[in-house]
């Protein structure tokens, strides 16, 4: 074979197995052009595309000059990315080169073709790793390989959610089984109860970073343990603790096996906190006392908490701890009674269960919440652990979440920014002054922004129509044609998509149905809304909210204006966050610890309309979007719902709708576009994971 073609084929395989391509549109286009139907049918899976093409076909395609040239350029970009020497990390984090940060998270949402995530926490972890790669920060990720991932959502005719599971085929995923030098699979293990549970390890490349996912599907394991890591947040509380043992203890052992000596262990949420026990075990073996061992652990661990309600934290009874950890505790030389003490607010209160968050807090030299308000809530919640400190001095800080801007972009948006900001804007994302020019209409004309908005809104509407037709066909197929004209590409389009947890109050915009009907049926100022989101399989209240939204979408006076897209995932999210004019967020304050979906829209010219909770409380400045209510909330839930409903209608009717439909002679909404500029200028440089990870690096990872 021609050596150039041969090296290009190797290069394509390497890129397909490095998720760098998920934030490089040229690479995506190449895989799409190679096998368009496979690409679409596999939810944009580069590995599946390559697996479907013979060497003969690949050679033939690469010999065509235009395609060959674009592959060559892309491979050069990849090579430069992987080998860039001067990075933010090389300048600011040089001391971490030999001893990286180990980042533990129960889920990683990296791309729609790798369905091993549930929602926001996974998106945050995935974006964290991608930015760490972009910044050149030494890091390894640890998580679990969920062979069946999270469930696929379908809705019955009455709107009730049904869950099905699909088994992922590793051969068609960008993962490889980790092997030792002799070619044998690397296997780590944990003790659970009286069993030894062996764990295979899958390796993923995410730009310059490696992520290792543990998998209990090993033939030597008892049948029920082979399924332990099958599903994201699957099973019951016993599954939960066993998964957490696998991740925390198994993860530390794996790092040992492969010779990685982290300088910091970052627990993203409390699920991985058992890593503290295993690190302590190592120190005990070196001859340290229990106190010295835990002091060492505390010096090396940091913790991010995400859960603002007490009931949301993992708690395990002593019986469950005994059942799962007694053998392990014997090898550790620390009794379950003693371990229980470390997981309680009041160590000697026998009635208190073992709390992973409490344990993580005690094992960490730094704990942070994920927004300023969430910091206040968290300090209050855990004040009991610091009885001698007033609440403002409880040592829990905050770093507000962000999103990986490049990964949340689509092709038209990428082209737009390329046109106005040139080649290397991607390295200036977190630089505030870089974005000032965006407010200047001479730099980017209004017409250009408005054209982008139309382009993205149409893509979303065509996508929604296609999905609704599919849903309709599956439900029996009546009236599929009706969906050809469903939703209008000219209408003010609102998006609401996220997990259907009750506190997020998805149907709030319909709280007063009379008001809503008149608002949605104003012919001069049409309004439409698209929903998507999954409820946890055990959350019947969340499912009831989905059902309510689906019923409303069938209301004769709302038909064609309200849509629910099934099976929310990263692909659906990308269409929604780019196509919507307004991103609606109505959590019961202060329960949205941060939220990130609203951060994904500024780069596409969308505007937020949200309760001043989580990140939006910090992002909103009165010129760059819309607020529902003020920086306060009643503590009575009923009253809160009433006030928020009133404020939502008022801001929609008095600000959002009039501003969108206030047009000049050229039919352009100048004031609306001014807000878009403000949103771009103020939000993009702040609410991104480059800024967030740089904050973690300088404030948390470094001592
Ligand atoms: C961004 C995102 C989320 C998080 O949404 P929030 O509004 O922050 O809760 C959840 N799921 C998917 C697929 C996402 O892309």
């Amino acid at each position: 074979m021609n050596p150039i073609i041969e090296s290009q084929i190797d290069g394509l395989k390497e890129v397909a197995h490095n998720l760098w391509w998920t934030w490089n549109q040229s690479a995506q286009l190449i895989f799409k052009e190679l096998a368009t139907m496979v690409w679409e049918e596999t939810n944009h899976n580069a590995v599946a595309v390559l697996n479907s093409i013979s060497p003969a076909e690949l050679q033939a395609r690469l010999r065509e000059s235009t395609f060959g040239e674009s592959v060559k350029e892309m491979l050069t970009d990849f090579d430069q990315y992987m080998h860039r020497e001067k990075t933010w990390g090389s300048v600011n984090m040089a001391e971490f080169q030999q001893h990286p940060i180990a980042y533990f998270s129960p889920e990683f949402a990296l791309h729609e073709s790798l369905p091993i995530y549930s929602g926001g926490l996974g998106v945050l972890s995935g974006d964290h790793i991608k930015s760490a790669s972009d910044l050149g920060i030494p890091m390894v990720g640890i998580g679990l390989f969920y062979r069946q991932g999270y469930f696929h959502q379908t809705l019955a005719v009455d709107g009730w959610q049904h869950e099905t599971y699909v088994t992922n085929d590793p051969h068609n995923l960008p993962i490889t089984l980790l092997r030792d030098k002799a070619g044998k699979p690397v296997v780590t293990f944990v003790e659970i109860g009286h069993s030894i549970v062996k764990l295979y390890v899958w390796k993923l490349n995410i730009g310059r970073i490696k992520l290792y996912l543990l998998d209990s599907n090993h033939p030597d394991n008892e049948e029920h343990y082979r399924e332990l890591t099958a599903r994201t947040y699957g099973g019951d509380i016993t599954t939960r603790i066993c998964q957490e043992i696998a991740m925390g203890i198994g993860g530390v052992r794996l790092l040992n096996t492969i010779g990685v000596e982290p300088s910091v262990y970052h627990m993203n949420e409390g699920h991985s906190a058992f890593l503290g026990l295993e690190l302590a075990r190592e120190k005990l073996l070196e001859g340290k006392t229990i106190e010295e061992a835990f002091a060492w652990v505390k010096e090396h661990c940091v913790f991010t908490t995400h859960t603002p309600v007490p009931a949301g934290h993992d708690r395990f009874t002593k019986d469950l701890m005994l059942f799962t950890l007694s053998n392990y505790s014997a090898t550790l030389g620390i009794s379950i009674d003693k371990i229980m003490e470390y997981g309680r607010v009041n160590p000697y209160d026998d009635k208190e269960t073992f709390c992973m968050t409490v344990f993580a807090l005690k094992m960490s030299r730094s704990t942070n919440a994920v927004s300023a308000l969430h910091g206040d809530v968290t300090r209050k919640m855990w004040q009991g652990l610091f009885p001698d400190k007033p609440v403002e001095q409880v040592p829990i800080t905050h770093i507000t979440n962000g999103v990986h801007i490049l990964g949340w972009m689509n092709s038209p948006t990428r082209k737009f920014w390329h046109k106005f900001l040139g080649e290397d804007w991607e390295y200036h994302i977190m630089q505030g002054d870089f974005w000032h020019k965006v407010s200047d209409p001479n730099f980017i004309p209004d017409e250009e922004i408005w054209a982008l908005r139309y382009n993205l809104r149409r893509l979303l509407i065509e996508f929604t129509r296609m999905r609704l037709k599919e849903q309709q066909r599956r439900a029996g197929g009546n009236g599929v044609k009706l969906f050809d004209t469903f939703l209008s590409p000219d209408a003010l389009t609102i998006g609401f998509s996220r997990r259907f947890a009750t506190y997020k109050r998805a149907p709030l915009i319909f709280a007063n149905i009379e008001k809503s009907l008149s608002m949605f049926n104003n012919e001069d100022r049409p309004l439409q809304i698209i929903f998507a989101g999954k409820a946890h399989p055990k959350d019947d209240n969340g499912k009831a909210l989905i059902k309510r939204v689906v019923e409303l979408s069938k209301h004769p006076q709302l038909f064609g204006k309200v849509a629910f897209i099934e099976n929310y995932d990263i692909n659906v999210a990308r269409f929604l966050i780019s196509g919507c004019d307004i991103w609606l967020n109505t959590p019961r304050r202060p329960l949205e610890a941060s939220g990130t979906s609203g951060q994904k829209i500024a780069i596409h010219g969308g505007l937020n309309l949200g309760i001043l909770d989580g990140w939006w409380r910090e992002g909103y400045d009165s010129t760059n979007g819309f607020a529902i209510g003020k920086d306060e909330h009643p503590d009575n839930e009923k009253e809160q719902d009433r006030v928020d409903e009133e404020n939502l209608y008022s801001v929609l009717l008095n600000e959002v709708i009039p501003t969108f439909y206030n047009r000049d002679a050229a039919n352009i909404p100048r004031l609306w576009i001014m807000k878009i500029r403000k949103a771009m200028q103020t939000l993009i440089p702040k609410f991104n994971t480059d800024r967030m990870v740089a904050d973690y690096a300088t404030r948390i990872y470094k001592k």
Side-chain angles (χ1 to χ4, degrees), residues 153-157 463-478 480 483 531-532 550 553-554 563-568 572:
Q153 176 194 56
T154 51
L155 299 183
V157 180
F463 174 77
T464 308
R465 288 174 181 166
M466 181 197 74
R467 290 290 289 257
L468 293 181
K469 284 191 214 175
E470 275 176 28
Q471 291 170 204
Q472 191 66 12
R473 275 191 208 103
R474 220 194 36 242
N478 284 337
V480 168
F483 292 96
F531 290 91
V550 172
S553 74
K554 294 179 179 165
F564 188 98
I565 304 178
E566 286 178 9
N567 204 34
Y568 187 45
V572 176

Side-chain angles (χ1 to χ4, degrees), residues 117-120 123 408 497-499 503-504 568-570 573 583 585 592 594-598 600:
Y117 60 90
S118 142
V123 170
W408 284 104
S497 59
R498 47 180 64 82
R499 281 184 307 116
Y503 80 85
K504 297 191 187 235
Y568 187 45
D569 71 352
I570 290 178
W583 195 255
N585 195 17
E592 187 82 302
S594 165
T596 55
S597 59
K600 300 167 189 163

Side-chain angles (χ1 to χ4, degrees), residues 207 316 322 505 509:
F316 305 128
L322 279 167
R505 296 186 295 187
I509 193 171

Side-chain angles (χ1 to χ4, degrees), residues 201-219:
V201 186
W202 297 94
K203 187 178 88 168
L204 277 89
N205 300 303
I206 301 162
R208 295 153 67 117
I209 291 183
K210 300 213 181 330
L211 169 62
Y212 299 101
L213 300 177
L214 304 171
D215 179 0
S216 69
N217 187 20
H218 189 291

Side-chain angles (χ1 to χ4, degrees), residues 89 107 190 215 400 435 505 518 554:
E107 49 166 324
V190 290
D215 179 0
T400 304
W435 294 93
R505 296 186 295 187
S518 86
K554 294 179 179 165

Side-chain angles (χ1 to χ4, degrees), residues 19-23 103-131 141-146 149-150 168 174 204-206 211 213 232-233 268 402-408 499 534 568-574 596 600 689 692:
L19 291 168
W20 170 81
W21 69 259
T22 66
W23 68 100
Y103 181 84
F104 283 66
S105 182
E107 49 166 324
F108 290 88
L110 295 154
H111 189 256
E112 56 264 29
S113 62
L114 188 59
I116 54 169
Y117 60 90
S118 142
L121 186 70
V123 170
L124 182 77
S125 315
D127 285 6
H128 191 112
I129 297 266
K130 289 174 185 174
S131 271
I142 300 280
L144 297 177
F145 177 59
Y146 303 107
Y150 202 50
N168 294 314
L204 277 89
N205 300 303
I206 301 162
L211 169 62
L213 300 177
T232 321
Y233 308 132
N268 187 43
V403 292
H404 184 248
I405 298 286
L406 302 179
W408 284 104
R499 281 184 307 116
K534 296 175 176 178
Y568 187 45
D569 71 352
I570 290 178
N571 182 46
V572 176
R574 200 178 295 103
T596 55
K600 300 167 189 163
T689 37
M692 179 188 89

